[in-house]
Amino acid sequence: MKTVPQGQPMPYHVNLGLTKEEYAELMGYMNNIEIVSTGAEEISIQTKDDVIHFKSMGKLSLLDSLKIDLKNNIVLFGRLKLPFGDNLNITSEKNALKSKWAGYSWVLEEPKDFGPDKLKDLNNLKMKQYKLTLGKLEKTGKTYMSLKGREIENGIRTVDFEIPVLW
């Protein structure tokens, strides 16, 4: 994966556990994924003291707990602090947004050293993953934002959401 350019698919490898034909079929599906709107909600976006705040209702009310601190380059989601993760530069239109785009991500993962060895004892698995992705689409000039959260406590998923927004 370290040699694959960002935004490009991983080449076939026998260790994937798929045949070449199965991998080709999977890639065919991946190239046809598209984000489709499930509705429209109003979101108020305000900036105060270099901090972006969101206000919404209904399905998007979780965004009320989201703040982007531009000065310190961190994201606050409730009591969680998501440190800056990476610059993003998606150079292919073969993605769910059907556009090249550039942006940023902030990520919180606990434990930090999460690996396959942690999956050996699923009954005692404890983890947190939160990620905010923010970017601008080249094709339309629209802004894309995705907030994802997942928590597992003693092998049981206690938090699991993804909120994609396009404006």
Side-chain angles (χ1 to χ4, degrees):
M1 284 302 297
K2 292 179 182 179
T3 62
V4 178
Q6 189 173 15
Q8 298 298 314
M10 183 175 61
Y12 174 77
H13 191 278
V14 295
N15 290 353
L16 290 172
L18 301 171
T19 66
K20 280 188 179 183
E21 293 78 20
E22 290 169 332
Y23 183 75
E25 183 179 353
L26 177 62
M27 289 296 100
Y29 291 130
M30 298 297 285
N31 290 337
N32 291 315
I33 291 175
E34 184 173 359
I35 291 179
V36 178
S37 176
T38 59
E41 295 277 346
E42 284 192 33
I43 300 174
S44 170
I45 304 171
Q46 301 168 352
T47 305
K48 182 180 178 186
D49 300 326
D50 291 327
V51 177
I52 299 172
H53 303 264
F54 299 86
K55 183 71 176 155
S56 187
M57 297 172 61
K59 295 177 183 178
L60 303 181
S61 63
L62 268 177
L63 297 179
D64 292 359
S65 300
L66 181 66
K67 294 179 174 89
I68 303 172
D69 183 336
L70 300 171
K71 185 176 179 181
N72 297 303
N73 200 15
I74 61 168
V75 166
L76 305 168
F77 181 61
R79 293 183 295 224
L80 301 173
K81 290 184 181 182
L82 286 64
F84 181 74
D86 203 358
N87 291 312
L88 304 171
N89 187 21
I90 309 307
T91 58
S92 170
E93 292 185 0
K94 291 182 179 180
N95 61 66
L97 298 169
K98 303 297 183 199
S99 176
K100 297 177 184 178
W101 60 281
Y104 310 95
S105 67
W106 293 264
V107 181
L108 170 69
E109 292 182 332
E110 294 177 359
K112 293 187 186 301
D113 60 344
F114 189 81
D117 59 308
K118 300 283 185 192
L119 298 173
K120 290 178 182 174
D121 185 9
L122 294 178
N123 289 331
N124 292 311
L125 179 64
K126 293 182 184 183
M127 63 164 280
K128 285 184 186 180
Q129 291 179 319
Y130 287 87
K131 180 176 185 179
L132 178 73
T133 303
L134 187 63
K136 189 164 196 103
L137 305 184
E138 182 179 287
K139 192 180 279 186
T140 63
K142 290 187 174 186
T143 299
Y144 168 71
M145 182 173 77
S146 173
L147 178 63
K148 296 179 186 180
R150 176 176 290 154
E151 291 189 30
I152 297 175
E153 185 73 30
N154 295 322
I156 298 170
R157 194 174 304 174
T158 57
V159 174
D160 191 16
F161 66 86
E162 181 174 0
I163 303 173
V165 180
L166 188 63
W167 72 87

mmCIF file of all heavy atoms in Angstrom, residues 122 125-128 150-159:
data_model
loop_
_atom_site.group_PDB
_atom_site.id
_atom_site.type_symbol
_atom_site.label_atom_id
_atom_site.label_comp_id
_atom_site.label_asym_id
_atom_site.label_seq_id
_atom_site.Cartn_x
_atom_site.Cartn_y
_atom_site.Cartn_z
ATOM 1 N N LEU A 122 -11.587 -10.916 20.283
ATOM 2 C CA LEU A 122 -12.668 -9.985 19.965
ATOM 3 C C LEU A 122 -13.554 -9.668 21.162
ATOM 4 O O LEU A 122 -14.119 -8.577 21.242
ATOM 5 C CB LEU A 122 -13.516 -10.534 18.817
ATOM 6 C CG LEU A 122 -12.814 -10.636 17.466
ATOM 7 C CD1 LEU A 122 -13.740 -11.250 16.426
ATOM 8 C CD2 LEU A 122 -12.317 -9.276 17.017
ATOM 9 N N LEU A 125 -12.050 -6.685 22.786
ATOM 10 C CA LEU A 125 -11.636 -5.615 21.885
ATOM 11 C C LEU A 125 -12.237 -4.282 22.312
ATOM 12 O O LEU A 125 -13.439 -4.163 22.535
ATOM 13 C CB LEU A 125 -12.062 -5.942 20.451
ATOM 14 C CG LEU A 125 -11.726 -4.901 19.401
ATOM 15 C CD1 LEU A 125 -10.213 -4.733 19.259
ATOM 16 C CD2 LEU A 125 -12.342 -5.298 18.059
ATOM 17 N N LYS A 126 -11.378 -3.286 22.463
ATOM 18 C CA LYS A 126 -11.792 -1.915 22.756
ATOM 19 C C LYS A 126 -11.080 -1.005 21.774
ATOM 20 O O LYS A 126 -9.854 -1.056 21.665
ATOM 21 C CB LYS A 126 -11.405 -1.506 24.182
ATOM 22 C CG LYS A 126 -12.152 -2.243 25.248
ATOM 23 C CD LYS A 126 -11.750 -1.746 26.623
ATOM 24 C CE LYS A 126 -12.447 -2.567 27.694
ATOM 25 N NZ LYS A 126 -12.150 -2.081 29.031
ATOM 26 N N MET A 127 -11.843 -0.190 21.049
ATOM 27 C CA MET A 127 -11.228 0.717 20.091
ATOM 28 C C MET A 127 -12.133 1.894 19.788
ATOM 29 O O MET A 127 -13.341 1.833 19.979
ATOM 30 C CB MET A 127 -10.890 -0.012 18.790
ATOM 31 C CG MET A 127 -12.104 -0.560 18.070
ATOM 32 S SD MET A 127 -11.787 -1.014 16.372
ATOM 33 C CE MET A 127 -11.859 0.555 15.579
ATOM 34 N N LYS A 128 -11.516 2.967 19.327
ATOM 35 C CA LYS A 128 -12.209 4.161 18.871
ATOM 36 C C LYS A 128 -11.585 4.587 17.559
ATOM 37 O O LYS A 128 -10.357 4.590 17.430
ATOM 38 C CB LYS A 128 -12.034 5.327 19.846
ATOM 39 C CG LYS A 128 -12.806 5.260 21.102
ATOM 40 C CD LYS A 128 -12.602 6.525 21.911
ATOM 41 C CE LYS A 128 -13.261 6.394 23.262
ATOM 42 N NZ LYS A 128 -13.088 7.598 24.086
ATOM 43 N N ARG A 150 -16.651 5.305 15.063
ATOM 44 C CA ARG A 150 -16.868 3.907 15.417
ATOM 45 C C ARG A 150 -16.191 3.656 16.754
ATOM 46 O O ARG A 150 -15.049 4.037 16.964
ATOM 47 C CB ARG A 150 -16.278 2.984 14.360
ATOM 48 C CG ARG A 150 -16.400 1.511 14.751
ATOM 49 C CD ARG A 150 -15.916 0.590 13.686
ATOM 50 N NE ARG A 150 -16.865 0.666 12.582
ATOM 51 C CZ ARG A 150 -16.555 0.407 11.313
ATOM 52 N NH1 ARG A 150 -15.335 0.091 10.997
ATOM 53 N NH2 ARG A 150 -17.467 0.476 10.393
ATOM 54 N N GLU A 151 -16.931 3.011 17.646
ATOM 55 C CA GLU A 151 -16.360 2.582 18.918
ATOM 56 C C GLU A 151 -16.798 1.150 19.175
ATOM 57 O O GLU A 151 -17.943 0.782 18.910
ATOM 58 C CB GLU A 151 -16.820 3.472 20.076
ATOM 59 C CG GLU A 151 -16.254 4.876 20.028
ATOM 60 C CD GLU A 151 -16.544 5.678 21.278
ATOM 61 O OE1 GLU A 151 -16.654 5.079 22.375
ATOM 62 O OE2 GLU A 151 -16.669 6.900 21.155
ATOM 63 N N ILE A 152 -15.868 0.364 19.698
ATOM 64 C CA ILE A 152 -16.159 -1.009 20.088
ATOM 65 C C ILE A 152 -15.706 -1.163 21.532
ATOM 66 O O ILE A 152 -14.589 -0.793 21.888
ATOM 67 C CB ILE A 152 -15.436 -2.017 19.171
ATOM 68 C CG1 ILE A 152 -15.960 -1.863 17.744
ATOM 69 C CG2 ILE A 152 -15.617 -3.438 19.684
ATOM 70 C CD1 ILE A 152 -15.246 -2.713 16.721
ATOM 71 N N GLU A 153 -16.595 -1.675 22.348
ATOM 72 C CA GLU A 153 -16.337 -1.869 23.778
ATOM 73 C C GLU A 153 -16.593 -3.327 24.104
ATOM 74 O O GLU A 153 -17.721 -3.803 23.947
ATOM 75 C CB GLU A 153 -17.252 -0.962 24.601
ATOM 76 C CG GLU A 153 -16.998 -0.980 26.079
ATOM 77 C CD GLU A 153 -15.729 -0.245 26.488
ATOM 78 O OE1 GLU A 153 -15.332 0.726 25.820
ATOM 79 O OE2 GLU A 153 -15.130 -0.672 27.495
ATOM 80 N N ASN A 154 -15.544 -4.032 24.532
ATOM 81 C CA ASN A 154 -15.647 -5.461 24.848
ATOM 82 C C ASN A 154 -16.277 -6.253 23.699
ATOM 83 O O ASN A 154 -17.155 -7.094 23.913
ATOM 84 C CB ASN A 154 -16.417 -5.676 26.149
ATOM 85 C CG ASN A 154 -15.659 -5.096 27.324
ATOM 86 O OD1 ASN A 154 -14.441 -5.166 27.386
ATOM 87 N ND2 ASN A 154 -16.389 -4.514 28.257
ATOM 88 N N GLY A 155 -15.840 -5.936 22.488
ATOM 89 C CA GLY A 155 -16.291 -6.663 21.307
ATOM 90 C C GLY A 155 -17.639 -6.239 20.764
ATOM 91 O O GLY A 155 -18.095 -6.750 19.759
ATOM 92 N N ILE A 156 -18.299 -5.285 21.412
ATOM 93 C CA ILE A 156 -19.628 -4.849 20.976
ATOM 94 C C ILE A 156 -19.540 -3.429 20.420
ATOM 95 O O ILE A 156 -19.007 -2.523 21.079
ATOM 96 C CB ILE A 156 -20.633 -4.892 22.145
ATOM 97 C CG1 ILE A 156 -20.766 -6.334 22.646
ATOM 98 C CG2 ILE A 156 -21.987 -4.339 21.718
ATOM 99 C CD1 ILE A 156 -21.543 -6.471 23.928
ATOM 100 N N ARG A 157 -20.066 -3.257 19.215
ATOM 101 C CA ARG A 157 -20.063 -1.936 18.581
ATOM 102 C C ARG A 157 -21.046 -1.031 19.313
ATOM 103 O O ARG A 157 -22.242 -1.314 19.376
ATOM 104 C CB ARG A 157 -20.458 -2.074 17.118
ATOM 105 C CG ARG A 157 -20.172 -0.845 16.310
ATOM 106 C CD ARG A 157 -20.444 -1.060 14.850
ATOM 107 N NE ARG A 157 -19.687 -2.193 14.361
ATOM 108 C CZ ARG A 157 -19.804 -2.694 13.152
ATOM 109 N NH1 ARG A 157 -20.663 -2.192 12.304
ATOM 110 N NH2 ARG A 157 -19.079 -3.725 12.775
ATOM 111 N N THR A 158 -20.544 0.035 19.907
ATOM 112 C CA THR A 158 -21.388 0.956 20.659
ATOM 113 C C THR A 158 -21.643 2.256 19.904
ATOM 114 O O THR A 158 -22.599 2.957 20.199
ATOM 115 C CB THR A 158 -20.758 1.275 22.025
ATOM 116 O OG1 THR A 158 -19.448 1.823 21.819
ATOM 117 C CG2 THR A 158 -20.665 0.025 22.895
ATOM 118 N N VAL A 159 -20.765 2.586 18.973
ATOM 119 C CA VAL A 159 -20.924 3.776 18.130
ATOM 120 C C VAL A 159 -20.578 3.358 16.713
ATOM 121 O O VAL A 159 -19.572 2.703 16.485
ATOM 122 C CB VAL A 159 -19.981 4.921 18.584
ATOM 123 C CG1 VAL A 159 -20.047 6.095 17.622
ATOM 124 C CG2 VAL A 159 -20.286 5.358 20.004
#
